[in-house]
Amino acid sequence: MDEDAIRAAFPEVDAVQDDDLRAGVVDAWATAAAENGVEDLTSVPWLPPTQRELELDEEGLVDHVRDVTACAVALAETLQERRSDTLSLDLDTVVAGALVHDVSKLAEFSGMDETPIYHLLGHPYYGVHVVARTGLPIALAHIVLSHTDRTAVEPATIEAAVIRRADEVASAAIRWRATDDLRTV
């Protein structure tokens, strides 16, 4: 998968100011796509087990990642504005971290089928591997690892906390389509 296809899927990558960080995000998606035979990011599902349970087969990973990125940026910008005197928050880390938080899913699923990576490693360990291999900062590996309750790692940075909450809300918005009470799913 070439850089243009990744940028078309995730136009938010252009919001990353640091050239190396921006290139690393693109490289992470290109690496994961190449290693897993993914030719079209828009064909990758969001979370097949949940999608089957809720009969939401059409939900895609790209839309979810873009939702998480938009939510994370809005939350980060609000915190920066309201707490500028006491909060140091790196917006590049927020955008880049949100964009790569679910890169693992390219290895966890093949179409709507779970792979051994999903069953044996679980979400998001492959993503940490990709982030490290592509030379992205350890702060992004931490975001990937701590964005979900499927690991015991809690967010240690404000950027990681922002992305975890943005992911929770974006996932709830998907589940909301199938229920009128999020406590039931």
Side-chain angles (χ1 to χ4, degrees):
M1 176 169 303
D2 68 7
E3 181 176 338
D4 291 338
I6 294 164
R7 287 175 176 275
F10 302 117
E12 296 83 359
V13 76
D14 290 330
V16 177
Q17 299 297 307
D18 182 89
D19 293 339
D20 292 335
L21 194 56
R22 186 179 337 101
V25 168
V26 172
D27 191 29
W29 282 102
T31 297
E35 288 181 357
N36 295 286
V38 174
E39 295 180 13
D40 178 12
L41 287 174
T42 63
S43 70
V44 178
W46 163 61
L47 185 57
T50 300
Q51 288 177 248
R52 279 191 295 277
E53 177 185 341
L54 300 177
E55 298 179 1
L56 297 172
D57 293 344
E58 71 285 353
E59 286 296 335
L61 178 61
V62 168
D63 286 338
H64 171 68
V65 169
R66 295 190 69 206
D67 287 348
V68 170
T69 303
C71 289
V73 167
L75 184 54
E77 287 176 344
T78 298
L79 289 171
Q80 278 184 318
E81 179 183 314
R82 295 189 45 80
R83 298 192 171 267
S84 63
D85 56 333
T86 60
L87 181 68
S88 175
L89 190 145
D90 185 332
L91 195 54
D92 258 9
T93 298
V94 169
V95 175
L99 286 169
V100 298
H101 85 280
D102 267 350
V103 74
S104 285
K105 289 185 180 175
L106 298 187
E108 292 178 65
F109 305 104
S110 177
M112 289 294 284
D113 298 321
E114 294 89 6
T115 69
I117 289 174
Y118 177 79
H119 287 295
L120 298 176
L121 290 182
H123 185 58
Y125 295 99
Y126 174 79
V128 171
H129 164 75
V130 170
V131 165
R133 277 192 49 211
T134 56
L136 286 166
I138 192 72
L140 266 63
H142 173 70
I143 287 168
V144 170
L145 194 58
S146 68
H147 85 273
T148 177
D149 61 7
R150 292 201 57 197
T151 73
V153 178
E154 291 292 321
T157 66
I158 190 66
E159 294 86 358
V162 163
I163 291 164
R164 183 168 182 153
R165 282 16 176 234
D167 183 51
E168 290 168 350
V169 170
S171 296
I174 293 170
R175 293 190 324 273
W176 183 253
R177 290 185 47 220
T179 184
D180 59 359
D181 185 344
L182 288 172
R183 296 172 294 181
T184 63
V185 291

